[in-house]
């Protein structure tokens, strides 16, 4: 896939219309959506113009606390910015998704929590020989994952695949629109489509290390939570999984 001239595809009106349709799903009664759609054509044309001439600047995030049941701080982008997120991800996601391992389960088409549970059940039966013998599971997560993501490292990973500097400029704009209590150059807001996508791009490095360096056969990741299953406890303790 051509990765050096992607930016015109991002701001193309056809892509922005499709991105708007995706961003509005399940939100048709929201006041901000009704307001945006009162002058839909001109609002989309303005986004197209701002992107094309690189005038685009995201609006400040709206932050609130969500308890479901774990307490999390969600930072939501303005609706017009969410359209941009969808427009960007629509173009660059296929480039990265084909590299992602099969058992990276979060925020991917055809995957999700149910898929992850089914894979876990399959792996459990394999390592226990259909529940006939003892086996072990190593479960872990990455502490403060979204707050700790390093923008420079993320951009370096992205640049391996994306050669269009205007796309990189747009990604930097989105990353810079950050939560106020994150350190400069670190972290992404929970609640953005781009944050979910970039989280997978960032941890793809971990996936490849576990699968191809450690040769772990039974490994599943869902965002920053991951499990390794093995019939050999020592293999899990030393960081492997053959």
């Amino acid at each position: 896939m051509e990765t050096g001239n992607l930016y015109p595809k991002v701001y193309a009106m056809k892509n922005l219309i499709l991105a708007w349709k995706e961003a509005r799903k399940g939100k048709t009664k929201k006041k901000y959506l009704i307001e945006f759609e009162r002058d839909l054509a001109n609002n989309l044309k303005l986004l197209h113009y701002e992107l094309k001439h690189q005038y685009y600047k995201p609006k400040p995030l709206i932050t609130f606390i969500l308890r479901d049941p774990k307490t999390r701080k969600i930072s939501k982008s303005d609706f017009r910015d969410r359209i941009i997120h969808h427009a960007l991800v629509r173009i660059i996601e296929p480039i990265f998704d084909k590299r992602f391992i099969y058992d990276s389960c979060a925020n991917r088409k055809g995957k999700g929590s149910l898929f992850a549970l089914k894979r876990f059940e399959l792996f459990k039966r394999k390592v226990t020989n259909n529940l006939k013998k003892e086996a072990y599971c190593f479960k872990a997560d990455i502490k403060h994952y979204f707050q700790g993501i390093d923008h420079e490292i993320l951009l370096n990973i992205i640049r391996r695949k994306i050669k269009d500097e205007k796309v990189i400029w747009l990604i930097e704009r989105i990353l810079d629109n950050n939560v106020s209590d994150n350190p400069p150059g670190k972290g992404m807001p929970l609640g953005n489509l781009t944050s979910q996508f970039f989280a997978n791009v960032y941890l793809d490095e971990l996936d490849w290390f576990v699968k191809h360096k450690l040769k772990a056969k039974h490994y599943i990741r869902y965002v920053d939570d991951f499990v390794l299953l093995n019939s050999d406890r020592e293999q899990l303790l030393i960081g492997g999984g053959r």
Side-chain angles (χ1 to χ4, degrees), residues 62 71 79 81 85 148-149 153 173 175 186 197:
I62 299 169
T71 299
F79 182 70
D81 297 320
H85 298 168
I149 288 174
I153 293 172
R173 282 269 157 141
L175 290 175
K186 292 281 184 73
F197 172 67

Side-chain angles (χ1 to χ4, degrees), residues 54 81 89 113 122 183 191 218:
Q54 293 183 277
D81 297 320
V89 171
S113 56
L122 174 66
H218 306 117

Side-chain angles (χ1 to χ4, degrees), residues 120-132:
F120 182 85
E121 286 299 314
L122 174 66
F123 289 168
K124 183 174 74 173
R125 290 192 170 273
K126 283 187 175 182
V127 298
T128 61
N129 191 21
N130 281 324
L131 309 180
K132 293 174 184 175

Side-chain angles (χ1 to χ4, degrees), residues 1-226:
M1 182 181 288
E2 172 61 48
T3 63
N5 192 31
L6 294 173
Y7 194 61
K9 296 179 182 179
V10 175
Y11 67 72
M13 278 302 300
K14 181 180 178 180
N15 188 48
L16 290 175
I17 291 168
L18 291 170
W20 157 69
K21 288 180 178 179
E22 290 174 358
R24 76 188 298 275
K25 286 178 182 176
K27 302 173 181 67
T28 52
K29 295 182 180 180
K30 298 288 187 182
K31 287 183 181 179
Y32 60 76
L33 179 65
I34 294 168
E35 182 65 29
F36 186 88
E37 293 182 352
R38 278 184 184 144
D39 197 9
L40 178 62
N42 282 330
N43 283 329
L44 290 178
K45 285 177 184 176
L46 182 59
L47 284 178
H48 169 81
Y49 180 85
E50 289 178 10
L51 287 174
K52 183 176 181 179
H53 298 284
Q54 293 183 277
Y55 295 149
Y56 169 69
K57 185 178 180 180
K59 293 188 176 182
L61 300 166
I62 299 169
T63 299
F64 58 94
I65 302 298
L66 184 67
R67 295 176 175 88
D68 65 337
K70 189 166 66 174
T71 299
R72 293 181 296 162
K73 182 157 72 171
I74 305 296
S75 295
K76 189 168 68 172
S77 292
D78 189 84
F79 182 70
R80 75 192 305 269
D81 297 320
R82 280 180 263 164
I83 294 173
I84 302 297
H85 298 168
H86 279 275
L88 173 66
V89 171
R90 279 181 51 78
I91 300 304
I92 68 172
E93 183 177 37
I95 297 168
F96 289 92
D97 192 76
K98 61 186 179 183
R99 177 191 152 86
F100 292 162
I101 66 166
Y102 187 75
D103 291 308
S104 168
C105 302
N107 310 308
R108 297 177 67 196
K109 291 175 183 176
K111 302 295 173 78
S113 56
L114 183 59
F115 174 86
L117 288 170
K118 286 180 177 178
R119 291 295 284 174
F120 182 85
E121 286 299 314
L122 174 66
F123 289 168
K124 183 174 74 173
R125 290 192 170 273
K126 283 187 175 182
V127 298
T128 61
N129 191 21
N130 281 324
L131 309 180
K132 293 174 184 175
K133 66 177 185 177
E134 191 175 61
Y136 301 89
C137 175
F138 176 83
K139 180 183 183 298
D141 63 17
I142 300 170
K143 187 176 181 180
H144 304 314
Y145 174 54
F146 278 86
Q147 297 97 311
I149 288 174
D150 186 294
H151 294 180
E152 186 176 352
I153 293 172
L154 174 61
L155 287 165
N156 286 338
I157 294 169
I158 291 170
R159 278 193 170 98
R160 294 177 200 162
K161 291 286 186 183
I162 304 298
K163 306 303 180 185
D164 189 328
E165 281 301 317
K166 289 184 178 179
V167 173
I168 300 297
W169 168 84
L170 178 57
I171 292 170
E172 287 177 326
R173 282 269 157 141
I174 292 168
L175 290 175
D176 287 344
N177 192 35
N178 204 351
V179 181
S180 59
D181 53 2
N182 282 343
K186 292 281 184 73
M188 297 188 301
L190 280 170
N192 281 353
L193 173 69
T194 45
S195 296
Q196 297 166 10
F197 172 67
F198 293 145
N200 272 345
V201 172
Y202 201 78
L203 282 186
D204 182 56
E205 305 289 300
L206 171 67
D207 297 341
W208 277 70
F209 175 76
V210 173
K211 292 293 289 184
H212 299 286
K213 294 290 185 182
L214 299 181
K215 307 294 184 183
K217 290 181 180 178
H218 306 117
Y219 164 76
I220 305 165
R221 181 176 62 79
Y222 193 95
V223 194
D224 60 329
D225 292 286
F226 59 93

